[in-house]
Amino acid sequence: MTIGRFAPSPSGRMHLGNLFTALLAWLSVRAKGGKMLLRIEDLDPDRSKQEYIDALRDDLSWLGLWWDEEMPLQSTRSERYAEAFDRLPTYPCYCSRSELHVASAPHMSDGKLIYAGTCRDLSEEERKTKTRNPAWRVRVPDRTITFTDGVFGLQRENLAEECGDFIVRRSDGVYAYQLAVVCDDADGGLTEVVRGCDLMDSTPRQIWLYETLGLPVPQFYHVPLLVAPDGKRLSKREKSLDMSHLRGRFQPETLIGYLACLAGLIAKPVPVKAAELIEVFSWNKIGKEPITVKTLL
Ligand code: GLU
């Protein structure tokens, strides 16, 4: 049976780009008669807010994107993450480079630094001289991970060269997104993961974690990004495209119709219910190119 998920982060209201991904994730599961789970990714205590958790559930319901079960909140799962962490080849890293955002999914615009390996081979003696609480990194092998994305086709990445050892636990004890998401998706029995293509380069790291932890790897579908006319990613900063504004201006069917038209599922942006799109949905209709949002409706 197909099992998919919504995995929103409660660090703000959902915006148009999140809705686009949520709609495609939902349609993919419903078109296969599968089960849809909701998982609120409140991993980072500094960025998650209860008001956004409530709003996420309410916004998805308002859009007609219902789910079958809700998964446990990430903030309740640290024992599970700790158990997985203990089975990984980790080492303490004392570098002071910012690790703050590793509990959030790294979107492409965040840039990517390849860790130079400074703390990789410190001796016990050298470790003892450090005063800072360490973050923990995993020692990645010199291995190329390949996978076939359901939209973008064959992908490959050499972990050592293109990624480097990555953080799985922050110095304050918060587990990183990369580790948490793998444990959660595996424990939920997820068979597919649909998310924005700016998370594509997290996938090889996650596949390696699945394999190292002996967990089954789901099918990945990375969906094209919505961009502004200048080609830049629509960001959460554009308040007019977040749900607090969108819900004031539009009916759910109008928004769904608009998104379905952007996705190429219908020819014109006419109002439509999410459930009415199930029969026209196919991954073959979803292109790879970024989708420009010219004017909103
Ligand atoms: N919580 C992430 C986000 O809202 C999504 C992570 C994922 O789909 O793996 O960007």
Side-chain angles (χ1 to χ4, degrees):
M1 140 110 105
T2 297
I3 307 182
R5 43 80 154 177
F6 300 120
S9 301
S11 54
R13 249 349 236 278
M14 287 203 295
H15 64 96
L16 200 70
N18 303 127
L19 304 192
F20 184 71
T21 306
L23 175 63
L24 295 184
W26 188 85
L27 287 172
S28 177
V29 164
R30 296 296 172 220
K32 296 174 199 138
K35 195 158 100 175
M36 191 68 184
L37 309 181
L38 167 64
R39 179 175 70 243
I40 304 222
E41 302 213 313
D42 64 341
L43 194 58
D44 190 342
D46 306 332
R47 301 178 85 197
S48 305
K49 291 213 174 78
Q50 185 61 45
E51 65 182 279
Y52 295 134
I53 295 182
D54 299 337
L56 287 171
R57 294 191 187 108
D58 193 54
D59 288 341
L60 288 168
S61 305
W62 181 83
L63 286 162
L65 304 179
W66 44 276
W67 57 96
D68 300 282
E69 276 168 42
E70 184 163 343
M71 300 174 77
L73 291 173
Q74 288 185 321
S75 56
T76 64
R77 301 246 308 147
S78 17
E79 270 178 38
R80 167 66 173 114
Y81 306 147
E83 184 266 323
F85 173 86
D86 286 343
R87 290 195 285 135
L88 295 172
T90 56
Y91 63 87
C93 170
Y94 303 88
C95 299
S96 57
R97 199 167 69 72
S98 169
E99 49 168 290
L100 281 182
H101 295 310
V102 298
S104 319
H107 296 281
M108 223 149 53
S109 52
D110 300 341
K112 185 171 167 187
L113 286 175
I114 299 172
Y115 182 60
T118 319
C119 295
R120 195 174 220 247
D121 297 313
L122 293 182
S123 65
E124 275 312 313
E125 247 73 285
E126 287 169 312
R127 284 183 186 148
K128 279 192 196 126
T129 64
K130 306 285 182 188
T131 48
R132 189 175 181 268
N133 268 349
W136 292 79
R137 288 183 187 271
V138 275
R139 203 178 282 273
V140 299
D142 182 7
R143 212 180 105 196
T144 298
I145 302 283
T146 55
F147 68 99
T148 303
D149 184 78
V151 177
F152 285 80
L154 186 66
Q155 305 291 311
R156 53 172 64 235
E157 183 182 83
N158 180 286
L159 288 176
E161 284 167 20
E162 295 167 73
C163 170
D165 297 345
F166 58 93
I167 295 179
V168 283
R169 192 183 159 182
R170 295 197 317 206
S171 58
D172 62 0
V174 173
Y175 290 94
Y177 156 77
Q178 304 292 357
L179 178 59
V181 80
V182 165
C183 295
D184 294 343
D185 284 340
D187 294 355
L190 273 284
T191 60
E192 62 179 52
V193 167
V194 177
R195 58 189 176 199
C197 72
D198 57 342
L199 286 170
M200 181 85 89
D201 81 349
S202 289
T203 304
R205 273 174 270 182
Q206 292 173 16
I207 290 176
W208 178 72
L209 287 172
Y210 279 109
E211 290 177 3
T212 306
L213 295 167
L215 301 168
V217 182
Q219 170 66 48
F220 290 94
Y221 297 89
H222 289 86
V223 307
L225 292 189
L226 300 190
V227 294
D230 62 4
K232 293 209 181 108
R233 178 171 189 263
L234 290 182
S235 87
K236 277 195 180 173
R237 276 184 290 275
E238 292 179 66
K239 286 282 169 217
S240 63
L241 298 181
D242 92 16
M243 276 300 258
S244 58
H245 289 81
L246 294 173
R247 277 182 70 163
R249 286 173 62 202
F250 305 110
Q251 293 301 313
E253 293 79 11
T254 314
L255 276 175
I256 295 283
Y258 180 69
L259 292 169
C261 179
L262 287 179
L265 296 176
I266 54 177
K268 289 208 176 100
V270 290
V272 62
K273 284 190 175 26
E276 289 165 340
L277 294 168
I278 297 172
E279 59 188 27
V280 300
F281 177 78
S282 159
W283 279 113
N284 296 332
K285 295 183 182 165
I286 310 301
K288 299 180 189 165
E289 296 306 315
I291 299 169
T292 306
V293 174
K294 292 197 191 79
T295 49
L296 189 54
L297 313 155

